[in-house]
Amino acid sequence: MTVPTNATSPIEQLRLQLKESLFLDLDDYGLVEQSTGEFNSTFLGVQLNTAFQPIYDIQAGDLIGHEALLRPSLGGELTSTPEFAFTYAEQTGKLVQFDRVARTLHVLNFKQIYAENGLLFLNVHPKLLVSVNTHGKVFERILHANSVPTHRVVIEIKESEIEQDKQLSEAIDNYRDRAYKISIDGFGGKKSHIDRLWKLSPDYVKLDLGIIQQAEGNHRVQKILPGLINLINDSGAQTIITGIETQAQLDIAIESGGLFVQGYFLAKPVHAKALQPSSALNKLSSLHKAA
């Protein structure tokens, strides 16, 4: 007796989607669903999990989205870093496959915190931008298969790690043609190019996490911060102040005109099921509205 298509289990549907769209096999890449409903993967002997860190709107006292962060480990016990895992995948000639598995993992776990207006921020390895046209197209299929539209996905690019303006512009254009949003990550660091604000026209600009930390102990940096935020806003982008680890840093972010914030003081990266509202943000939101 033939089993009807509509009787296919969710995990089997996922298997077919991955094989057709990404040329992946669940068995080959160890992508499995846990009892919590979240997914993890084992790739080249490295176990991969997703952690999410919320990004908040100070004024509204609400979330605008989550950044997906890779949490690799050996055997699920010995923790590693995303940088090490990507380097290892590159050395074995599997960087493209690794990237696809990681992004798919993030999307599947993002569904655990699905909200109509929530954005998913995803980092892109700089070396993969040369084939971004293919990546944007292939990844789009997985997003649509899981009911996540591309306009809810923000591609984070560390522009300071890419010297070629033409290559970077083409990569961003390829993503934007498919309705992805763009964020420049780590802006204001030593290798940032200020002219890329108007050349690339990103939707979001994440400040280098060292800026707010320096501002806490350096009055000059604190005075410069509002001007930097205004410059970014005038370019048409929205500023996200990252690296907030103390109450004082959050106060400086608000006083500087910052609207969007991210950092350990508000919420640490955790698995989707462990996400909790930030009491620190709710308190500040009340103070902001009362002012």
Side-chain angles (χ1 to χ4, degrees):
M1 180 178 176
T2 303
V3 179
T5 304
N6 58 11
T8 305
S9 68
I11 195 70
E12 188 59 31
Q13 290 177 17
L14 174 63
R15 184 187 300 274
L16 294 173
Q17 290 169 6
L18 292 174
K19 201 159 190 176
E20 179 183 348
S21 300
L22 297 183
F23 311 107
L24 302 179
D25 192 292
L26 288 180
D27 296 330
D28 293 340
Y29 293 91
L31 191 60
V32 295
E33 185 174 10
Q34 306 302 304
S35 59
T36 60
E38 295 181 81
F39 286 78
N40 65 16
S41 173
T42 302
F43 183 88
L44 299 175
V46 181
Q47 183 173 309
L48 307 175
N49 290 278
T50 301
F52 292 99
Q53 186 170 37
I55 300 172
Y56 293 100
D57 180 332
I58 294 175
Q59 192 168 7
D62 202 358
L63 288 162
I64 67 164
H66 297 83
E67 179 180 357
L69 300 164
L70 197 63
R71 289 293 182 260
S73 63
L74 300 177
E77 296 180 359
L78 184 61
T79 59
S80 182
T81 65
E83 292 77 16
F84 172 82
F86 271 100
T87 299
Y88 178 51
E90 182 181 6
Q91 290 173 345
T92 57
K94 299 288 187 179
L95 183 59
V96 172
Q97 295 93 325
F98 182 85
D99 175 70
R100 290 178 178 177
V101 171
R103 289 205 216 178
T104 301
L105 183 68
H106 293 331
V107 171
L108 293 172
N109 288 326
F110 182 62
K111 294 185 71 176
Q112 300 294 327
I113 51 174
Y114 186 90
E116 280 301 314
N117 298 315
L119 297 173
L120 173 62
F121 287 72
L122 290 173
N123 295 282
V124 174
H125 194 287
K127 290 188 177 180
L128 293 174
L129 289 175
V130 293
S131 56
V132 73
N133 186 34
T134 301
H135 277 77
K137 184 177 181 180
V138 171
F139 188 52
E140 183 178 17
R141 295 176 190 167
I142 274 295
L143 288 170
H144 288 172
N146 288 279
S147 302
V148 180
T150 53
H151 69 260
R152 291 188 58 216
V153 175
V154 184
I155 301 297
E156 291 196 16
I157 296 173
K158 285 188 177 294
E159 56 85 25
S160 61
E161 297 183 12
I162 303 169
E163 293 298 327
Q164 302 88 345
D165 280 351
K166 185 174 184 293
Q167 181 189 52
L168 185 57
S169 295
E170 288 176 353
I172 288 176
D173 287 343
N174 285 327
Y175 275 117
R176 192 168 275 133
D177 286 345
R178 292 184 170 86
Y180 294 95
K181 289 181 169 59
I182 301 297
S183 174
I184 288 178
D185 189 20
F187 188 77
K190 292 181 180 179
K191 296 183 179 179
S192 291
H193 301 76
I194 194 168
D195 60 331
R196 284 178 169 173
L197 285 178
W198 48 89
K199 283 182 178 179
L200 303 177
S201 301
D203 300 282
Y204 299 94
V205 173
K206 281 191 168 185
L207 296 185
D208 184 84
L209 56 85
I211 292 179
I212 191 65
Q213 293 167 5
Q214 291 178 49
E216 184 177 12
N218 189 319
H219 188 63
R220 289 186 178 181
V221 177
Q222 195 174 137
K223 288 181 66 177
I224 291 171
L225 187 55
L228 180 58
I229 293 173
N230 287 334
L231 176 66
I232 293 170
N233 293 344
D234 288 344
S235 75
Q238 294 177 298
T239 308
I240 301 175
I241 301 177
T242 68
I244 294 177
E245 298 181 352
T246 66
Q247 178 71 58
Q249 291 171 9
L250 186 54
D251 291 340
I252 292 169
I254 294 174
E255 292 167 3
S256 300
L259 180 59
F260 301 137
V261 289
Q262 179 181 4
Y264 273 45
F265 179 70
L266 296 166
K268 295 181 180 180
V270 294
H271 298 304
K273 293 292 186 181
L275 285 168
Q276 298 290 335
S278 172
S279 58
L281 184 81
N282 292 336
K283 179 181 177 182
L284 268 162
S285 176
S286 301
L287 293 173
H288 182 90
K289 291 175 181 177

